[in-house]
């Protein structure tokens, strides 16, 4: 028997014949739509799938995509990045974070610039790598700048569990874990975005369960289909939404049934709840301050909380984006990347002015990479 390759797991979900068949089925169904269908794909991962595989070009003109706020790097306001920079600039400190966050501009600098200036800033492949770094550097303060939606929060909780179990005293946490439902709710309550259906991110629901989207159809009259990230997943989800509309149904449905359940990963939810609780307020880039839209360490874990321990060096004033950058408007579903006057000129992946161009999940990044399809 031949050895299983990674591509064997996704090849079937990128089959051109199946993609064409699904696109035709959607086109046929969409002829019966009573009005145009504007679907918000909440997650930047879906945006990249739509752009990379040219799915919009396969669909009829009465179906359009509106890009959502589901990228943890894109929604991080400048003042939080300034926090990370201030922490990294402390004497005898190692700052740890994930991936693209290092390149996102703060108000005056970025972690990448500060690393070039001599700060010890490291990108982790796994949050659990922080343990060995803390053990190898007992005389230094190691700060983990934790980011991500419901998908990555369990990794931070698992790290906290190990830090507590091993009695590691020099590892601190700056928590920036945010939650999908409050952001979607805020966008819909605002009323400006013309959205009448949602593609929900499956990886979030693997942890939190599809139940987190159940209130949306009833509250806003917009169906939600929890979707996987391969092109066939996305097209099947669109077909499910179109059929709901034609059948005058408005429900939450699960397309990614191979991993998502209504209840999600209960063990992960319990572990998160042990260490974290809803934060009273958190300001999202472009969307603004939203109550209960992020998490914070519980009071009993203050000894690990970098925001409290180093509060005297952290800036507190909210900082808006550059006047030419419309990332905030894009994240609210009110504009597309090519509506921005600096898109692809002053703002590119190599010279990003805004977070949506920096992040590998950002809508501007996707348009720049795949917009010519």
């Amino acid at each position: 028997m031949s050895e299983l390759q990674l591509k064997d797991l996704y090849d079937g979900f990128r089959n051109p014949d199946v993609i064409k068949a699904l696109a035709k089925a959607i086109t046929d169904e969409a002829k019966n739509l009573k009005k145009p269908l504007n679907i918000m794909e909440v997650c930047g991962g879906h945006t990249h799938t739509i752009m990379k595989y040219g799915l919009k070009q396969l669909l009829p003109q009465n179906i359009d995509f509106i890009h959502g706020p589901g990228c943890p790097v894109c929604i991080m306001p400048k003042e939080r990045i300034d926090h990370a920079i201030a922490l990294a600039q402390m004497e005898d400190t190692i700052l740890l974070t994930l991936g693209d966050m290092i390149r996102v501009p703060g108000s005056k600098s970025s972690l990448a610039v500060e690393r070039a200036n001599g700060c010890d800033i490291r990108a982790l492949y796994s949050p659990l790598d922080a343990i060995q770094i803390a053990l190898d550097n007992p005389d230094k303060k190691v700060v983990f700048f934790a980011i991500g939606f419901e998908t990555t929060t369990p990794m931070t909780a698992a790290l906290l569990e190990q830090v507590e179990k091993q009695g590691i005293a020099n590892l601190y946490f700056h928590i920036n874990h945010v939650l999908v439902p409050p952001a979607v709710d805020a966008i819909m309550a605002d009323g400006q975005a013309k959205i009448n259906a949602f593609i929900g991110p499956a990886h979030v629901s693997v942890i939190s369960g599809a139940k987190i989207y159940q209130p949306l159809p009833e509250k806003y009259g917009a169906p939600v289909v929890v979707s996987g990230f391969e092109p066939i997943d996305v097209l099947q989800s669109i077909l499910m939404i179109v059929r709901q509309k034609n059948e005058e149904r408005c429900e939450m449905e699960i397309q990614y049934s191979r991993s998502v359940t209504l209840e999600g990963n209960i063990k992960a939810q319990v572990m998160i709840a042990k260490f974290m609780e809803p934060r009273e307020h958190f300001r999202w880039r472009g969307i603004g301050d939203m109550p209960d839209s992020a998490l914070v360490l519980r009071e009993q874990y203050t000894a690990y909380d970098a925001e409290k321990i180093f509060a005297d060096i952290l800036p507190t004033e909210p900082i808006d984006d550059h006047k030419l950058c419309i990332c905030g408007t894009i994240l609210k579903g009110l504009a597309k990347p090519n509506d921005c006057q600096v898109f692809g000129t002053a703002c590119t992946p190599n010279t990003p002015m805004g977070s949506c161009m920096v992040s590998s999940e950002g809508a501007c990044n996707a348009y720049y990479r795949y917009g010519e399809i």
Side-chain angles (χ1 to χ4, degrees), residues 29-46:
E29 285 277 351
K31 292 174 183 174
N32 298 317
L33 285 171
K34 294 178 179 175
K35 60 181 182 180
L37 188 54
N38 298 321
I39 303 172
M40 171 173 271
E41 81 277 7
V42 176
C43 180
H46 284 136

Side-chain angles (χ1 to χ4, degrees), residues 96-99 123-131 133 144 155-156 159:
L96 310 174
T97 190
L98 300 176
L124 299 179
Y125 290 104
S126 165
L128 292 175
D129 293 342
I131 292 176
I133 293 172
F144 178 47
M155 291 190 287
T156 301
L159 175 59

Side-chain angles (χ1 to χ4, degrees), residues 115-248:
R115 183 166 63 179
N117 289 337
C119 292
D120 193 344
I121 298 168
R122 308 181 191 183
L124 299 179
Y125 290 104
S126 165
L128 292 175
D129 293 342
I131 292 176
Q132 193 59 51
I133 293 172
L135 292 174
D136 290 343
N137 298 275
D139 298 329
K140 293 196 173 185
K141 301 177 285 290
V142 179
V143 181
F144 178 47
F145 190 74
I147 65 168
F149 284 88
E150 290 88 339
T151 320
T152 56
T153 309
M155 291 190 287
T156 301
L159 175 59
L160 275 156
E161 190 170 58
Q162 288 301 312
V163 168
E164 185 183 39
K165 188 178 294 182
Q166 298 182 36
I168 297 172
N170 65 327
L171 182 52
Y172 307 94
F173 294 77
H174 189 287
I175 299 294
N176 300 277
H177 286 300
V178 289
L179 305 169
V180 167
V184 173
D185 195 63
I187 289 171
M188 293 302 285
D190 179 71
Q192 294 186 71
K194 307 303 180 188
I195 302 164
N196 43 29
F198 289 95
I199 294 175
H203 51 8
V204 165
S205 288
V206 168
I207 302 300
S208 296
K211 64 182 183 295
I212 64 172
Y213 301 117
Q214 282 184 317
L216 289 174
E218 181 176 354
K219 192 171 182 181
Y220 297 111
V224 179
V225 173
V226 180
S227 174
F229 289 89
E230 294 297 333
I232 286 176
D233 290 323
V234 174
L235 288 173
Q236 186 180 11
S237 298
I238 294 166
L239 182 59
M240 293 167 72
I241 289 171
V242 175
R243 283 176 173 166
Q244 279 204 42
K245 288 289 186 181
N246 285 341
E247 294 167 4
E248 298 186 345

Side-chain angles (χ1 to χ4, degrees), residues 51 67 324-327 330 336-349 351-354 356-358 362-372:
M51 296 300 295
H67 315 305
L324 294 177
C325 176
I326 66 165
C327 280
I330 294 169
K336 295 191 176 182
N338 45 20
D339 294 327
C340 179
Q341 60 180 305
V342 294
F343 172 78
T345 55
C347 185
T348 71
T351 58
M353 293 177 65
C356 295
M357 184 63 87
V358 174
C364 295
N365 190 295
Y367 271 61
Y368 188 88
R369 291 181 186 279
Y370 309 117
E372 293 302 317

Side-chain angles (χ1 to χ4, degrees), residues 42-65:
V42 176
C43 180
H46 284 136
T47 305
H48 275 253
T49 298
I50 291 165
M51 296 300 295
K52 181 177 181 179
Y53 294 97
L55 301 188
K56 177 71 177 75
Q57 288 83 345
L58 295 174
L59 299 180
Q61 291 187 349
N62 60 345
I63 296 178
D64 196 12
F65 294 105

